[in-house]
Amino acid sequence: MTNTDCWISISENSDFSIHNIPFGIFSTKSNTLRAGVAIGDQILDLVVASELGVFNSLDFNPYVFESKTLNDFIALGKEITSKVRTIIQEELTNVDSVLKTDSSVFVNQKEVQMHLPVFVGDYTDFYSSIEHATNVGTMFRDPNNALLPNWKHIPVGYHGRASSIIVSGVDVHRPMGQTIAPDAKEPTYGPSKRVDFELEMAYIIGKKTSLGDTVKVENAEEYIFGKVLFNDWSARDIQKWEYVPLGPFLAKNFASSISPWIVTMDALEPFKVAGPEQTPKVLPYLEYKGERNYDIELQVAIKSESGEETVVSNSNFKYMYWNMAQQLAHHTMNGCNINVGDMMGSGTISGKSTDSYGSMLELSWAGKNPIQLKDGTQRTFIADNDTVVMRGFCQKDGKKVGFGEVKTKLLPAKQ
């Protein structure tokens, strides 16, 4: 199956190939929020598709496509959702498809508004890139002992704020907070001077557990529906003052931005790769077999107020030290329950080279090495009216599966 087999025109470089079929929630001027699938530069309206009888062979209530979120659809389980995806691929490559009989089944992506694809009840953020953790530890602790003693033994994480997760295109205001100058004895209150992006990916829980249950590494991916791009906004000066002794709080919870299309684990299966060697050996409940990392190319660009865009980072999800299966196994090993729609952030994704770091904190090395933009200005952190754009895709054997982008503008502080 190739893009040329599809009777919908798809650009060779499109993120939304016939191999992808990502799910999202959209609305138009004439239609309320509903579920759709991205294909090329179009959206397949799943409400209309179901009315045409496309999914009649499956036993589920098609009203799930009329919901304001994908939670009810995802909760049907992969025995249904994977078949829905396969049927869509079959219809899009069938020249006699019933989808050709109703022109309203397709909508141009430029004519819609995208919404949060799921209701996020809970959000957890991990700290799973060894390159990122080493960089931060080198900057703020000891270059010769950058990682804390537990880092190679557990996937470190913390519980974030689900209410401030926003979809691409929603602007963010520079946060206010307490900070303290290097030589000052007392903190001051005002706008953060060190607003930063964090290049992350997040996965969406697709299967719930009960309180007291655990998820094993070997079947963890059964509980993951798909993935999105994730920009975990951070205020580094606020973070530095507040994180001791309990960890991230106001520096992290003012906003986190996600891409609107959820790329399923089915679509990502061909892009599995081996992860980095884990030394020392992990405890038995974190041991895994096979390839559990994913080769996903990632990019971050800053678009200044002048309108010019500068790529500042090229990274890859395959660098992650702790994989998603280990993260989920560790998250639930104490009996913590998970629910459909819960979101798990990977933590900042940094590579080994300086141009693959996943935050301005690292790229500018805490402000010491300014980044030159194409419009002639420099950045150590994100300036007011800058737009941060993150993109990601997989490519192998002529197949491309992409995530689109997550784009967010930083507005001045509300004082």
Side-chain angles (χ1 to χ4, degrees):
M1 184 185 299
T2 66
N3 281 339
T4 56
D5 296 324
C6 182
W7 46 266
I8 289 286
S9 177
I10 303 174
S11 166
E12 183 180 347
N13 294 320
S14 175
D15 279 354
F16 307 122
S17 69
I18 191 66
H19 308 289
N20 194 343
I21 315 297
F23 293 86
I25 295 291
F26 74 100
S27 65
T28 66
K29 292 179 180 178
S30 56
N31 286 323
T32 56
L33 276 71
R34 55 188 52 207
V37 159
I39 183 74
D41 60 3
Q42 302 290 307
I43 294 175
L44 172 64
D45 186 328
L46 293 179
V47 173
V48 179
S50 65
E51 291 172 348
L52 292 172
V54 170
F55 308 114
N56 284 355
S57 62
L58 303 180
D59 184 18
F60 74 96
N61 191 332
Y63 286 114
V64 294
F65 295 137
E66 298 182 39
S67 176
K68 294 181 179 180
T69 69
L70 291 170
N71 292 57
D72 290 342
F73 170 66
I74 294 172
L76 295 172
K78 291 189 179 183
E79 62 273 16
I80 295 294
T81 61
S82 293
K83 290 177 181 176
V84 166
R85 177 177 173 272
T86 300
I87 287 173
I88 292 170
Q89 288 176 314
E90 292 171 349
E91 289 294 327
L92 290 172
T93 53
N94 176 11
V95 293
D96 298 318
S97 172
V98 68
L99 293 177
K100 286 188 168 185
T101 65
D102 190 335
S103 61
S104 68
V105 75
F106 291 102
V107 186
N108 194 299
Q109 289 190 34
K110 293 180 180 179
E111 298 173 0
V112 309
Q113 179 178 350
M114 298 303 299
H115 303 269
L116 273 178
V118 291
F119 170 76
V120 185
D122 282 298
Y123 152 53
T124 300
D125 194 26
F126 286 93
Y127 188 51
S128 292
S129 161
I130 193 168
E131 289 82 7
H132 173 67
T134 300
N135 287 338
V136 173
T138 299
M139 273 186 266
F140 297 119
R141 284 190 296 275
D142 179 0
N144 299 313
N145 195 24
L147 297 178
L148 290 170
N150 66 345
W151 200 92
K152 287 190 172 183
H153 295 277
I154 61 173
V156 174
Y158 73 95
H159 295 292
R161 184 73 180 177
S163 65
S164 53
I165 293 176
I166 55 177
V167 75
S168 176
V170 177
D171 297 336
V172 171
H173 284 274
R174 180 177 296 274
M176 303 289 289
Q178 283 193 28
T179 61
I180 190 166
D183 299 324
K185 294 182 179 180
E186 298 293 333
T188 58
Y189 173 77
S192 168
K193 295 181 177 65
R194 293 193 159 197
V195 175
D196 199 359
F197 65 77
E198 289 192 3
L199 172 61
E200 301 193 25
M201 302 200 76
Y203 57 92
I204 312 295
I205 296 300
K207 184 178 178 181
K208 66 180 291 187
T209 64
S210 298
L211 191 67
D213 289 346
T214 59
V215 174
K216 307 301 182 188
V217 165
E218 54 265 29
N219 61 0
E221 288 175 8
E222 296 174 15
Y223 292 81
I224 302 174
F225 175 71
K227 293 177 66 61
V228 294
L229 300 171
F230 192 77
N231 180 0
D232 189 24
W233 290 92
S234 299
R236 299 301 187 184
D237 44 0
I238 296 174
Q239 181 182 2
K240 187 176 181 180
W241 172 239
E242 74 174 1
Y243 85 101
V244 178
L246 292 180
F249 184 37
L250 299 178
K252 296 281 190 176
N253 69 5
F254 63 97
S256 298
S257 306
I258 69 167
S259 52
W261 294 107
I262 304 177
V263 177
T264 65
M265 300 311 294
D266 294 331
L268 294 173
E269 183 69 21
F271 306 100
K272 280 186 169 182
V273 293
E277 180 182 355
Q278 295 181 332
T279 306
K281 185 177 180 180
V282 299
L283 291 174
Y285 80 96
L286 290 172
E287 290 180 350
Y288 70 94
K289 296 179 181 179
E291 297 176 333
R292 293 298 186 96
N293 281 38
Y294 292 81
D295 186 359
I296 305 173
E297 295 186 39
L298 301 167
Q299 182 185 88
V300 185
I302 296 175
K303 187 177 181 181
S304 62
E305 194 169 6
S306 69
E308 201 158 7
E309 184 177 294
T310 305
V311 173
V312 296
S313 176
N314 287 289
S315 193
N316 196 300
F317 187 67
K318 68 183 179 182
Y319 298 138
M320 301 305 290
Y321 187 89
W322 295 104
N323 60 53
M324 293 183 289
Q326 291 176 308
Q327 290 173 347
L328 193 53
H330 184 68
H331 197 307
T332 62
M333 54 102 61
N334 66 346
C336 174
N337 58 316
I338 54 175
N339 291 297
V340 172
D342 285 356
M343 193 169 291
M344 310 290 177
S346 62
T348 305
I349 303 163
S350 292
K352 298 183 184 300
S353 62
T354 55
D355 60 353
S356 66
Y357 294 163
S359 66
M360 291 299 288
L361 176 69
E362 297 163 271
L363 290 166
S364 73
W365 209 253
K368 295 177 182 177
N369 305 317
I371 303 297
Q372 187 76 31
L373 301 189
K374 287 183 178 179
D375 67 359
T377 61
Q378 293 184 330
R379 296 289 185 277
T380 51
F381 291 92
I382 305 303
D384 285 350
N385 300 311
D386 280 349
T387 298
V388 176
V389 186
M390 295 181 177
R391 302 180 177 96
F393 67 91
C394 314
Q395 199 157 13
K396 180 182 178 183
D397 299 331
K399 297 179 181 179
K400 184 174 182 180
V401 171
F403 293 78
E405 62 184 26
V406 53
K407 179 187 294 186
T408 316
K409 186 175 185 177
L410 180 67
L411 301 178
K414 284 185 176 180
Q415 300 192 46

